[in-house]
Amino acid sequence: MGPLWLLALIAGLSLFGFAIGRWKSVALAREGRQPMAARPAHYGSFVLVWTAIPAVIVLILLSIGRPYIADHAVRAHLPDNVLADETNLSLAIANVEQVANGLKTVTPDEMQNIKIGVVTARSVFAKHGVPLAGDVEPYQLAAAISLNAIRATLSDITDVTVSLVTALCLVFAFIRIKPRLRARTAVERVILVLLILASSVAVLTTIGIVLSMLFQALHFFSMVSPANFFLGTVWDPRFAAAGSQESGQFGFLPLAWGTLFISFFAMLVAVPVGLFSAIYMSEYASSRVRSVAKPLLEILAGIPTIVYGFFALTTVGPAIRDYVAVPFGLGTSGNNVITAGLVMGIMLIPYVSSLSDDIITAVPRALRDGSLGLGATRSETVKQVVLPAALPGIVGAILLAASRAIGETMIVVLAAGVAANMSLNPFTEMTTITVKIVNQLTGDLEFTSPQTLVAFALGITLFVATLALNVLALTIVRKYREQYE
Amino acid sequence: MTATLSHNTPEQALIVSHIDLGLQRRYRSERRFRAYGIAALTFGILCLVLLFSSIISRGYTAFEQTRITLKVDFDPAIVAPDGNRSAEAIMGGDAFRFDDLFSATVQKSLEISPDDEDGLYDALDLFSKGSSPMLRQMLAQDPALIGTTKDVEFYATGDVDSFVKGSIRADIPESQRNIKDKHIVLITKLKDSGALHLAFNTGLFTFGASTRPEVAGVGVAAIGSLYMMLVVLSLSLPLGVAGSIYLEEFAPKNRWTDLIEVNINNLAAVPSIVYGMLGLAVFINFAHLPRSASLVGGLVLTLTTLPTVIISTRAALKAVPPSIRDAGLGIGASKMQTVFHHVLPLAVPGILTGTIIGLAHALGETAPLLMIGMKAFVVDYPATPLDPATSLPTQIYMWATEPERAFIERTSAAIMVLLAFLLAMNSCAVLLRRMFERRW
Amino acid sequence: MSSSPAPFQTIRTPDASPRPTKIHADGVKVIYGTKQALHGVSIDIGEKSVTAFIGPSGCGKSTFLRCINRMNDTIVGARVEGKITLDGEDIYNTDLDVVELRARVGMVFQKPNPFPKSIFDNVAYGPRIHGLAKSKADLEEIVVTSLQKASLYNEVKDRLQEPGTGLSGGQQQRLCIARAIAVSPEVILMDEPCSALDPIATAKVEELIDELRTNYTIVIVTHSMQQAARVSQRTAFFHLGHLVEEGPTDHIFTNPLEQRTQDYITGRFG
């Protein structure tokens, strides 16, 4: 039985439990010897949660544990020389896996033939549509057979255990139904635990991000020293050739420079445009203009970044190249910092404007009235009273936008280029942290080579940088809001 | 007389106020400031217009496609030389016989002399390389066609398509275009005979990835996206709502919940590519789920969407006035009953709106999907969420880097399809908000 | 169909020795969207005196006050009809500059609303934007005099650079008065200036209002009849958007001519 069938079994038994639990409580109530502490549906739910939850937990635990036991079984069959070769171990295990898959398609007759060596396993497998990279070594065959056997056993064990646990819990919960049982409280306690678990998913995500990246990044730093990474000025990772220990240079600075340079141009566009739009909409525009302009700007925020990337690649990039860069002899590439920065800036306009708008509107009316009542003009009121009062919030909004800019991926992947330059000319091609993460993590992955692992070092750096910006910005904005609540 | 003195008596103050408040200068500055605001707003809206017009002007032509109708004579001597006309026999055996069938068809239709091999090859250049497999499929589905003649619509190549639509122009030097003069002669001939025509491009919505633009479509990618959205909806909605209910209604206000709050707000602003790396490290490298599967894509997008759902759900719960809770508790309902019977139903419109917006965001997300290998070359529809799949945005990404004119057109069209979905979802959200907007 | 109701008659009792008119209002109506808040108010306000507007909440007294320096302009959808003149000049005349008007007619609001700036900058704000000070020393002098006039100087002279929001409620309100005085207006409008203050702070502000009337025309909206009786020379009673009765304060409080005025000041409704 597969896990889906087991889940169906659990679900069926749980519903059955609900029915009989309810039925029993109704029957008890009819006897009327003691008043019931809860409604019949609560007793039904009581049986339901006690049937389903332990069974699901057992199923999950067993499913997590199974691959490890299987892996252990495979390793027991591998010869020492294969086990000793750390770098190719995962490959060897994958090969055994492949053979094991092939064996599942083989008929008993063919199996006999393979065992006595009349035909090669490879040719039999090919007939069944399972391609193999090379001939099957005897140890692989043995390992694969035992792998399949152990998997079958484990699957049976899971089926039996889960079914037993489900049934036992059902009976146990059913027996516990008494008039005095506070079924509602018991069920609600379980629901509360489920709610707490759901709320912890967000925390688990953060922990998952940090741990998974930290683990791989540390692996990377065991191959390339942090000093070479963080202070290196040359980015040239070469290719990850299987088994070759030659590694390129992983200088972080050109990527950091490209990221910051592009983000700077993006902010140069987004901050004034976003801020002035927000001021105009909150202080000047009639409600009709506002009701049209605000959603229009918000459309910009809803457009996927890949669309901006395509826009940069096909429209903005060539335009800047043909009308600005080439005529002034500044560069020849359609991929450049200006294009990426400009388009990213357009993308960020709504972030800056809607956040600033909220913040400006949060400035109490009394302050505006105070200034207007003294005979200040609108712009004087905005510049000297509203903006200074809203400044912390606006700074927060700008920091949030900056955090988006440095983490933005698709626009730079399509518009910034892949060459890691450190130049002051914004019409040259440059690259960013996110572009390199994409470059290093698409295609063939080797979780043992620095070429792949460097992406995680870049990733955790990016995460820490945006985390710092976000937390700073969120704290500022929060303090600001509390001030006016 | 100093300005201070003028302050002491209102009579003099009156004079001061009439003398000079620098009004002209101040109003100039006022007008300037206002103009900056209008300029900024106009710039933003102009960018939007430019973005849309550039995509629409590039993409609208992709909804039509050049087809060439030829009369095919399904000669049994060519397609079934051994006399076996079963579907299996057609799909088996030598594939070249269908190339022969197609060549014969082209030769006959364009009246090319049998000796003119170059002429035949030039003519074949106009047709999609998928033409003869298409004939084979046709026969396999309906073997009764053998021995009959029938008008069949073939796809022209992407270059021919671009030429017919005018995006490859005849007036540039011949060496710089893929359509040579000899092709133009043939195209004109086919056009005049009425064989070559433009038709609605249904393939754009049904095909999968292909190296040949004329048979490339977003159908397969859309199914991948659909699977992912189903996964995201079925996970992030219950998880998000359950989590928010705890945080908003039950959690004690202490440093721990404070930390969760900051953490959730931060997660909403973490670059999406980081979630992709998490997915790669945890779901693929650690849990050994298959790469390129829409299940994994859905899981990753669930994590990116969850903060949005939680934030909007909490806002919706917060908007339910405390009096409702008091009323529930006051008649002896438990806290849990009050929340699930009274508070949650009132918050449903807000929750749904937030969820739809979160889904729309997830639908356009590209970077995390690249991390988990969802830029595979997928030709066939994925049958289950565990099959290799691709998604609308990653399909757009793959096409965006193709240099051919016909692909640029299709990329823009794919973007228009994606934007249409997003528009529909966001309109739903707005409608929901309008319909159920409630003032307490 | 226009069967307009009978014209509303305001009962007026003139002063024994009338002061020159500073502000004259004639048939002022205010409509917020579709809701009419004022139904034609006419009144003369004498210069260098305190005029109090009283009446139950929602009676239109604050609305009328905000018309006098056109603060209603800042409310979207508000429409003002009728005529208000300041020294004979129509303030709703399109030629008249609203900035100049507000420099002449200052306003103090219900809740103290100091800017989140230093005490000094709060008071200096008006003179700065209007360019009233020729030099830094000038500006300092204006600030100091204004604070003195607002009876706040002695309390804050050592901490002029500290934020104005750090003062107590009563001090904040006097700071707002100082801020209004610093522009040297001719009229000061006060919209329930003491409603957010404790009794001691209220007493100080009332004392201040009494002092200020030697130099300024003051119009004050108040909820408290005692306050109106204490600080004002003339009182106007508003009810449901109408000006019901106006006259010398002692007359209104001791011998009101209208039944509704009597009911209100004796506390039958409010």
Side-chain angles (χ1 to χ4, degrees), chain A residues 204-427:
Chain A
L204 286 179
T205 307
T206 306
I207 295 174
I209 289 174
V210 172
L211 285 189
S212 64
M213 296 225 273
L214 198 65
F215 185 68
Q216 312 281 8
L218 287 178
H219 199 164
F220 170 74
F221 286 127
S222 69
M223 291 181 252
V224 176
S225 85
N228 283 349
F229 175 71
F230 285 110
L231 302 174
T233 54
V234 178
W235 174 267
D236 180 20
R238 315 266 171 86
F239 291 104
S244 90
Q245 286 303 308
E246 181 205 33
S247 70
Q249 286 174 280
F250 300 93
F252 172 70
L253 289 180
L255 310 187
W257 170 246
T259 306
L260 293 179
F261 205 22
I262 291 174
S263 304
F264 168 74
F265 278 105
M267 300 311 283
L268 210 59
V269 173
V271 171
V273 174
L275 197 52
F276 271 107
S277 307
I279 291 172
Y280 183 78
M281 281 193 294
S282 59
E283 302 287 329
Y284 288 99
S286 67
S287 59
R288 262 185 57 209
V289 170
R290 202 178 144 89
S291 71
V292 174
K294 206 171 149 74
L296 275 181
L297 274 193
E298 274 163 10
I299 291 180
L300 282 176
I303 293 175
T305 56
I306 176 79
V307 178
Y308 283 104
F310 180 73
F311 178 60
L313 181 74
T314 56
T315 307
V316 181
I320 286 182
R321 180 192 60 208
D322 297 342
Y323 299 112
V324 186
V326 172
F328 294 98
L330 294 165
T332 53
S333 174
N335 287 341
N336 54 51
V337 172
I338 286 278
T339 304
L342 179 64
V343 175
M344 201 192 278
I346 296 173
M347 179 198 90
L348 292 175
I349 290 172
Y351 286 102
V352 178
S353 78
S354 69
L355 277 171
S356 315
D357 193 7
D358 290 352
I359 280 155
I360 289 173
T361 337
V363 173
R365 200 187 162 78
L367 284 185
R368 284 188 186 79
D369 283 354
S371 173
L372 292 172
L374 287 171
T377 63
R378 280 244 173 232
S379 66
E380 283 161 353
T381 305
V382 171
K383 280 187 272 192
Q384 302 192 35
V385 176
V386 177
L387 283 187
L391 192 65
I394 290 173
V395 169
I398 291 173
L399 287 180
L400 275 183
S403 145
R404 292 229 171 236
I406 65 172
E408 170 46 39
T409 309
M410 294 323 293
I411 295 177
V412 284
V413 163
L414 286 174
V418 289
N421 284 323
M422 273 176 101
S423 149
L424 281 171
N425 179 358
F427 291 94

Side-chain angles (χ1 to χ4, degrees), chain A residues 68 188 196 202-203 206 208 273 280 284 303-304 306 310-311 313-315 375 377-380 455 467 470 478, chain B residues 26 30 34 38 40 51 54 58 246 258 263 266-267 269 277-278 285-286 291 334 336 364 366 400 412 415 422:
Chain A
Y68 289 92
E188 286 183 353
I196 293 175
V203 181
T206 306
V273 174
Y280 183 78
Y284 288 99
I303 293 175
I306 176 79
F310 180 73
F311 178 60
L313 181 74
T314 56
T315 307
T377 63
R378 280 244 173 232
S379 66
E380 283 161 353
L467 177 81
N470 293 341
R478 196 167 162 184
Chain B
R26 287 167 63 191
E30 172 78 20
R34 202 188 162 98
I38 294 176
L51 179 72
S54 105
R58 271 171 217 280
Y246 175 71
D258 223 37
N263 176 45
N266 174 56
L267 280 179
M277 298 177 76
L278 171 73
N285 197 29
F286 178 73
R291 284 190 94 186
S334 72
M336 195 68 80
T366 321
S412 306
I415 288 177
L422 293 181

